[in-house]
Amino acid sequence: MSFEGLPQGSGAKEKSFKESLYLWEVLRGLGVTLRHLVRNIFHTGEMPTMQYPEEKRVYSDRFRGRHRLTKREDGSPRCVACQMCSTVCPADCITIVAAEHPDVEIEKYPDSFEIDLLRCVYCGLCEEACPCDAIRMDTGIYEIAADSREKFVVDKDFLLNNTTDGTR
Amino acid sequence: MANLTIDGKEYEFPDGTSLFEACREARGEALPHFCYHPDLSVAGVCRLCQVEVEGMPKLTIACNTTVREGMVVHTRSEKVKRASQQILEMHLINHPVDCPICDQAGECGLQDQYMEYGLYESNVTQATKVLKTKAKVIGPQVILDQERCVLCSRCVRFCNEVTGTGELGIFNRGDRALIDVAPGVELDNNYSLNTVDICPVGALTSRDFRFVKRVWMLKSADGVCPGCATGCNVRIDHEGGRVYRLKPRRNPEVNGSWMCDRGRMTYKALHDERRLTEPRRGDQEARWAELQDELATALDKGALGLVVVSPHQTLEEMYLAVRLAGSPGKVVSGPADAGMREGDSLLLDADRTPNRAGLGVVGISELAGKDLAAAVAGARGTVLVLGGDPAADAAVAAALRQHGRVIYLGTHGNETAGCSSLVLPGAAWAEKQGIFVNRQGRWQAFQQAIARPGNAREDWRILAEAVGRQDEEAALGSLKSVRAALAAAVLADPSIDLNKLPEHGFAPGGEN
């Protein structure tokens, strides 16, 4: 294959000696940096960088953070293990094992309820599908970090009590 | 014959056909219904299958009407739609609508028919519903929720007409009417779970399946129950490599719409902890690749002394066993009384093996325990035991131990596996395709539902490979070719394609 006769790219352009030193371009770039430095020193309030974690962005009340399980008045989970959330979940991150509740009025409850926070895509369909308002994503928690994959799989107790930030 | 018009089209049905069945055929789908069941008497209590018949002053229920010459029937008119909506609304007045905790959700008549024909704003403003008993255990297999019941009386009719045990009844009147067992009586018969199948709502649910899985997560495969020689057609409901329940599939020639509770529980053995998953040589776990040469030598025509085939194996495997042994005298089955228990007059057969009739089809003779022990003792060369547990008989066990060179190809770690020098893990019934011949001589094919555990292999493949090593021209590389060879060997008309058996099974030489 031959490239003859094809238009040449900019890389092929011959540079003069002055241009090939890049001296002027380097100085121009340093000038931009210097300008921002001076401006940020005298106008700290306008600086776009946020001093996280001392300072945190304010999100809307509707922000979907980490899930929680709501409780009945007596403290037991509202969840009846109908598995609507795990059915609708596009990431397949909810695993529920149902069991018979001793109280016949409740009948069914989740023996185990696990969410894999690494698989979750935070779409909120689980909240929407829940017929009992048992699962909510209104904690506002988005700092989810851990040092092993297993710790991202959170269980029923964790989701019910929701005391700590991040993962378990 | 009667000529009639349904929804503007002309049809011809034999006299005495139920208008419900005629409409099902004409529409391609059943009319909305709760109480009608093809294998039970007509009750006409749910009033949901109303259709408009010209010349009749009011709507009429299709289930309790027979076709008549010149009838003009409308099933989709506005009047019919309004009637089914109103009836559904009435059925839902006292229904608790606790679908989230109801096991029937997903296969519920109320849900399906509300979505299909209902979709109304309820006119009922009363805040309180008539409360009845929830989660009442009425038998070893069945749990009752009286609030969900729509009083279709299918379960009551089943217990009166099919089993004749009559445990269930409808008590009280009006909106306080409820299904219950009489005081001191339990719904305890071997067919009790059929009431769960025919319950169109979640009033009767299975205790075995309770809260185990939501039904929409299950996948289904068509199977044949391995529990006895009747060979009830079943639907294997499975998910993620696990079978969760068996449901009967309608086959008027074999089991109608029913199956027994004992048969339903046969799926549990699939996930038994005694399942064989890896090949074993003595106490050592082995790999299939290492065993290739050993199997080739041991199953060679000269080296193979005897093949003991269990009536639990499929017809294809039985045929391959005969091919492998070369001469009919080298293939036997037994002990002949293994799997014989007490049966009943309905579906459960005394013979608890699914394919004993298949032994006769391919010409394998059955021996009594004593004779089988003698045959094993007299076998020169390897003894191959295909499935079952012949060593449950003490004499056979002793003979197998004495013999020493025994290969067991089976599914469970049982007595026979303990007597064998080489144990090969095979596929259980839900993990392979095959054909069972039932007590009527009806050939019924079943599909594979789940994957085999661990390194288990399909039995027919191991046998076909061994046959291929003996005879290069045999080339039985697929189940299709095995079936073709089987048809050629045993059927009077070998052109019958065993891969496409009719839905209700196939009886060679008999009525189909």
Side-chain angles (χ1 to χ4, degrees), chain B residues 389-402:
Chain B
D389 191 13
D393 186 301
V396 180
L400 286 172
R401 279 221 175 78
Q402 188 101 46

mmCIF file with all atom_site columns, all heavy atoms in Angstrom, chain B residues 389-402:
data_model
loop_
_atom_site.group_PDB
_atom_site.id
_atom_site.type_symbol
_atom_site.label_atom_id
_atom_site.label_alt_id
_atom_site.label_comp_id
_atom_site.label_asym_id
_atom_site.label_entity_id
_atom_site.label_seq_id
_atom_site.pdbx_PDB_ins_code
_atom_site.Cartn_x
_atom_site.Cartn_y
_atom_site.Cartn_z
_atom_site.occupancy
_atom_site.B_iso_or_equiv
_atom_site.pdbx_formal_charge
_atom_site.auth_seq_id
_atom_site.auth_comp_id
_atom_site.auth_asym_id
_atom_site.auth_atom_id
_atom_site.pdbx_PDB_model_num
ATOM 1  N N   . ASP B 1 389 ? -29.908 -50.325 42.948 1.00 0.00 ? 389 ASP B N   1
ATOM 2  C CA  . ASP B 1 389 ? -29.098 -50.769 44.079 1.00 0.00 ? 389 ASP B CA  1
ATOM 3  C C   . ASP B 1 389 ? -29.303 -52.266 44.294 1.00 0.00 ? 389 ASP B C   1
ATOM 4  O O   . ASP B 1 389 ? -29.898 -52.686 45.285 1.00 0.00 ? 389 ASP B O   1
ATOM 5  C CB  . ASP B 1 389 ? -29.479 -49.968 45.334 1.00 0.00 ? 389 ASP B CB  1
ATOM 6  C CG  . ASP B 1 389 ? -28.490 -50.199 46.458 1.00 0.00 ? 389 ASP B CG  1
ATOM 7  O OD1 . ASP B 1 389 ? -27.411 -50.769 46.189 1.00 0.00 ? 389 ASP B OD1 1
ATOM 8  O OD2 . ASP B 1 389 ? -28.789 -49.802 47.596 1.00 0.00 ? 389 ASP B OD2 1
ATOM 9  N N   . PRO B 1 390 ? -28.796 -53.108 43.351 1.00 0.00 ? 390 PRO B N   1
ATOM 10 C CA  . PRO B 1 390 ? -29.010 -54.553 43.519 1.00 0.00 ? 390 PRO B CA  1
ATOM 11 C C   . PRO B 1 390 ? -28.380 -55.088 44.799 1.00 0.00 ? 390 PRO B C   1
ATOM 12 O O   . PRO B 1 390 ? -28.847 -56.083 45.350 1.00 0.00 ? 390 PRO B O   1
ATOM 13 C CB  . PRO B 1 390 ? -28.357 -55.152 42.268 1.00 0.00 ? 390 PRO B CB  1
ATOM 14 C CG  . PRO B 1 390 ? -27.510 -54.087 41.673 1.00 0.00 ? 390 PRO B CG  1
ATOM 15 C CD  . PRO B 1 390 ? -28.097 -52.784 42.098 1.00 0.00 ? 390 PRO B CD  1
ATOM 16 N N   . ALA B 1 391 ? -27.329 -54.404 45.300 1.00 0.00 ? 391 ALA B N   1
ATOM 17 C CA  . ALA B 1 391 ? -26.654 -54.915 46.497 1.00 0.00 ? 391 ALA B CA  1
ATOM 18 C C   . ALA B 1 391 ? -27.465 -54.696 47.767 1.00 0.00 ? 391 ALA B C   1
ATOM 19 O O   . ALA B 1 391 ? -27.033 -55.079 48.857 1.00 0.00 ? 391 ALA B O   1
ATOM 20 C CB  . ALA B 1 391 ? -25.277 -54.280 46.629 1.00 0.00 ? 391 ALA B CB  1
ATOM 21 N N   . ALA B 1 392 ? -28.632 -54.076 47.636 1.00 0.00 ? 392 ALA B N   1
ATOM 22 C CA  . ALA B 1 392 ? -29.510 -53.991 48.809 1.00 0.00 ? 392 ALA B CA  1
ATOM 23 C C   . ALA B 1 392 ? -29.905 -55.409 49.230 1.00 0.00 ? 392 ALA B C   1
ATOM 24 O O   . ALA B 1 392 ? -30.242 -55.657 50.382 1.00 0.00 ? 392 ALA B O   1
ATOM 25 C CB  . ALA B 1 392 ? -30.743 -53.160 48.473 1.00 0.00 ? 392 ALA B CB  1
ATOM 26 N N   . ASP B 1 393 ? -29.864 -56.318 48.270 1.00 0.00 ? 393 ASP B N   1
ATOM 27 C CA  . ASP B 1 393 ? -30.079 -57.742 48.564 1.00 0.00 ? 393 ASP B CA  1
ATOM 28 C C   . ASP B 1 393 ? -28.748 -58.316 49.074 1.00 0.00 ? 393 ASP B C   1
ATOM 29 O O   . ASP B 1 393 ? -27.728 -58.217 48.390 1.00 0.00 ? 393 ASP B O   1
ATOM 30 C CB  . ASP B 1 393 ? -30.508 -58.437 47.269 1.00 0.00 ? 393 ASP B CB  1
ATOM 31 C CG  . ASP B 1 393 ? -30.896 -59.879 47.495 1.00 0.00 ? 393 ASP B CG  1
ATOM 32 O OD1 . ASP B 1 393 ? -30.044 -60.657 47.973 1.00 0.00 ? 393 ASP B OD1 1
ATOM 33 O OD2 . ASP B 1 393 ? -32.044 -60.214 47.182 1.00 0.00 ? 393 ASP B OD2 1
ATOM 34 N N   . ALA B 1 394 ? -28.766 -58.910 50.268 1.00 0.00 ? 394 ALA B N   1
ATOM 35 C CA  . ALA B 1 394 ? -27.518 -59.331 50.914 1.00 0.00 ? 394 ALA B CA  1
ATOM 36 C C   . ALA B 1 394 ? -26.746 -60.355 50.086 1.00 0.00 ? 394 ALA B C   1
ATOM 37 O O   . ALA B 1 394 ? -25.515 -60.293 49.982 1.00 0.00 ? 394 ALA B O   1
ATOM 38 C CB  . ALA B 1 394 ? -27.822 -59.901 52.293 1.00 0.00 ? 394 ALA B CB  1
ATOM 39 N N   . ALA B 1 395 ? -27.476 -61.283 49.435 1.00 0.00 ? 395 ALA B N   1
ATOM 40 C CA  . ALA B 1 395 ? -26.803 -62.321 48.650 1.00 0.00 ? 395 ALA B CA  1
ATOM 41 C C   . ALA B 1 395 ? -26.066 -61.698 47.470 1.00 0.00 ? 395 ALA B C   1
ATOM 42 O O   . ALA B 1 395 ? -24.930 -62.063 47.152 1.00 0.00 ? 395 ALA B O   1
ATOM 43 C CB  . ALA B 1 395 ? -27.838 -63.334 48.156 1.00 0.00 ? 395 ALA B CB  1
ATOM 44 N N   . VAL B 1 396 ? -26.713 -60.729 46.806 1.00 0.00 ? 396 VAL B N   1
ATOM 45 C CA  . VAL B 1 396 ? -26.085 -60.057 45.658 1.00 0.00 ? 396 VAL B CA  1
ATOM 46 C C   . VAL B 1 396 ? -24.873 -59.268 46.135 1.00 0.00 ? 396 VAL B C   1
ATOM 47 O O   . VAL B 1 396 ? -23.815 -59.266 45.482 1.00 0.00 ? 396 VAL B O   1
ATOM 48 C CB  . VAL B 1 396 ? -27.100 -59.142 44.939 1.00 0.00 ? 396 VAL B CB  1
ATOM 49 C CG1 . VAL B 1 396 ? -26.453 -58.443 43.761 1.00 0.00 ? 396 VAL B CG1 1
ATOM 50 C CG2 . VAL B 1 396 ? -28.320 -59.932 44.493 1.00 0.00 ? 396 VAL B CG2 1
ATOM 51 N N   . ALA B 1 397 ? -25.024 -58.583 47.283 1.00 0.00 ? 397 ALA B N   1
ATOM 52 C CA  . ALA B 1 397 ? -23.913 -57.790 47.822 1.00 0.00 ? 397 ALA B CA  1
ATOM 53 C C   . ALA B 1 397 ? -22.700 -58.689 48.059 1.00 0.00 ? 397 ALA B C   1
ATOM 54 O O   . ALA B 1 397 ? -21.569 -58.348 47.682 1.00 0.00 ? 397 ALA B O   1
ATOM 55 C CB  . ALA B 1 397 ? -24.333 -57.099 49.111 1.00 0.00 ? 397 ALA B CB  1
ATOM 56 N N   . ALA B 1 398 ? -22.958 -59.858 48.653 1.00 0.00 ? 398 ALA B N   1
ATOM 57 C CA  . ALA B 1 398 ? -21.852 -60.782 48.933 1.00 0.00 ? 398 ALA B CA  1
ATOM 58 C C   . ALA B 1 398 ? -21.190 -61.230 47.638 1.00 0.00 ? 398 ALA B C   1
ATOM 59 O O   . ALA B 1 398 ? -19.951 -61.267 47.527 1.00 0.00 ? 398 ALA B O   1
ATOM 60 C CB  . ALA B 1 398 ? -22.376 -61.981 49.710 1.00 0.00 ? 398 ALA B CB  1
ATOM 61 N N   . ALA B 1 399 ? -22.011 -61.541 46.636 1.00 0.00 ? 399 ALA B N   1
ATOM 62 C CA  . ALA B 1 399 ? -21.472 -62.005 45.353 1.00 0.00 ? 399 ALA B CA  1
ATOM 63 C C   . ALA B 1 399 ? -20.640 -60.911 44.689 1.00 0.00 ? 399 ALA B C   1
ATOM 64 O O   . ALA B 1 399 ? -19.577 -61.180 44.114 1.00 0.00 ? 399 ALA B O   1
ATOM 65 C CB  . ALA B 1 399 ? -22.610 -62.441 44.441 1.00 0.00 ? 399 ALA B CB  1
ATOM 66 N N   . LEU B 1 400 ? -21.127 -59.659 44.748 1.00 0.00 ? 400 LEU B N   1
ATOM 67 C CA  . LEU B 1 400 ? -20.400 -58.540 44.126 1.00 0.00 ? 400 LEU B CA  1
ATOM 68 C C   . LEU B 1 400 ? -19.055 -58.337 44.825 1.00 0.00 ? 400 LEU B C   1
ATOM 69 O O   . LEU B 1 400 ? -18.031 -58.126 44.189 1.00 0.00 ? 400 LEU B O   1
ATOM 70 C CB  . LEU B 1 400 ? -21.230 -57.252 44.188 1.00 0.00 ? 400 LEU B CB  1
ATOM 71 C CG  . LEU B 1 400 ? -22.428 -57.151 43.241 1.00 0.00 ? 400 LEU B CG  1
ATOM 72 C CD1 . LEU B 1 400 ? -23.258 -55.927 43.556 1.00 0.00 ? 400 LEU B CD1 1
ATOM 73 C CD2 . LEU B 1 400 ? -21.979 -57.106 41.788 1.00 0.00 ? 400 LEU B CD2 1
ATOM 74 N N   . ARG B 1 401 ? -19.068 -58.416 46.186 1.00 0.00 ? 401 ARG B N   1
ATOM 75 C CA  . ARG B 1 401 ? -17.822 -58.234 46.952 1.00 0.00 ? 401 ARG B CA  1
ATOM 76 C C   . ARG B 1 401 ? -16.816 -59.313 46.590 1.00 0.00 ? 401 ARG B C   1
ATOM 77 O O   . ARG B 1 401 ? -15.637 -59.041 46.393 1.00 0.00 ? 401 ARG B O   1
ATOM 78 C CB  . ARG B 1 401 ? -18.125 -58.300 48.444 1.00 0.00 ? 401 ARG B CB  1
ATOM 79 C CG  . ARG B 1 401 ? -18.647 -57.003 48.972 1.00 0.00 ? 401 ARG B CG  1
ATOM 80 C CD  . ARG B 1 401 ? -18.075 -56.638 50.353 1.00 0.00 ? 401 ARG B CD  1
ATOM 81 N NE  . ARG B 1 401 ? -18.567 -55.309 50.673 1.00 0.00 ? 401 ARG B NE  1
ATOM 82 C CZ  . ARG B 1 401 ? -19.809 -55.082 51.108 1.00 0.00 ? 401 ARG B CZ  1
ATOM 83 N NH1 . ARG B 1 401 ? -20.656 -56.085 51.296 1.00 0.00 ? 401 ARG B NH1 1
ATOM 84 N NH2 . ARG B 1 401 ? -20.206 -53.850 51.343 1.00 0.00 ? 401 ARG B NH2 1
ATOM 85 N N   . GLN B 1 402 ? -17.327 -60.536 46.491 1.00 0.00 ? 402 GLN B N   1
ATOM 86 C CA  . GLN B 1 402 ? -16.481 -61.683 46.169 1.00 0.00 ? 402 GLN B CA  1
ATOM 87 C C   . GLN B 1 402 ? -15.851 -61.534 44.794 1.00 0.00 ? 402 GLN B C   1
ATOM 88 O O   . GLN B 1 402 ? -14.696 -61.835 44.574 1.00 0.00 ? 402 GLN B O   1
ATOM 89 C CB  . GLN B 1 402 ? -17.363 -62.943 46.180 1.00 0.00 ? 402 GLN B CB  1
ATOM 90 C CG  . GLN B 1 402 ? -16.601 -64.223 46.047 1.00 0.00 ? 402 GLN B CG  1
ATOM 91 C CD  . GLN B 1 402 ? -16.466 -64.857 47.424 1.00 0.00 ? 402 GLN B CD  1
ATOM 92 O OE1 . GLN B 1 402 ? -17.444 -64.929 48.163 1.00 0.00 ? 402 GLN B OE1 1
ATOM 93 N NE2 . GLN B 1 402 ? -15.276 -65.277 47.781 1.00 0.00 ? 402 GLN B NE2 1
#
